Amino acid sequence: MAEDGTIDYSVHEAWNEATNVYLLVILVSFGLLIYARKNKRKIMRIFSVPPATETLPGNNFYDNIQKVRLRQQLEMYYISRKYDQQQNQSSADSTQLLME
């Protein structure tokens, strides 16, 4: 109440505007909730992980590394076998020299 005995309606008007805004927010929230339930797949598509086509380069990278490692292992095996054969031939040559 004001000093002259009249009621100040500005508080009531502000309260009414605030409640109108709250009611509007609640109605919009319910509308969005109903929309989300009906269109769940569309919304999930937005937040989902990209398709598997983009993950293939990562897999190809690891596959390529495994192939390179396998190739290196085969090359090292080939070199070691070649070295072993050379060692066997040199030891055979030395035994022949000893026999003569």
Side-chain angles (χ1 to χ4, degrees), residues 26-94:
I26 290 170
L27 289 174
V28 169
S29 298
F30 279 129
L32 288 173
L33 182 66
I34 291 170
Y35 177 80
R37 283 188 179 178
K38 287 184 180 179
N39 299 311
K40 191 175 194 177
R41 289 184 182 171
K42 288 181 184 177
I43 295 171
M44 291 306 291
R45 215 179 298 152
I46 294 170
F47 297 108
S48 66
V49 177
T53 56
E54 293 184 11
T55 58
L56 289 177
N59 291 339
N60 285 340
F61 175 74
Y62 290 113
D63 289 341
N64 289 339
I65 287 179
Q66 287 178 343
K67 288 178 183 177
V68 167
R69 286 181 182 166
L70 179 62
R71 191 177 307 126
Q72 288 174 343
Q73 288 173 350
L74 289 173
E75 287 175 0
M76 291 303 293
Y77 176 75
Y78 173 75
I79 291 171
S80 67
R81 292 284 297 188
K82 197 173 183 182
Y83 179 77
D84 288 343
Q85 287 176 354
Q86 287 177 354
Q87 291 297 322
N88 288 339
Q89 286 178 354
S90 66
S91 66
D93 291 343
S94 65

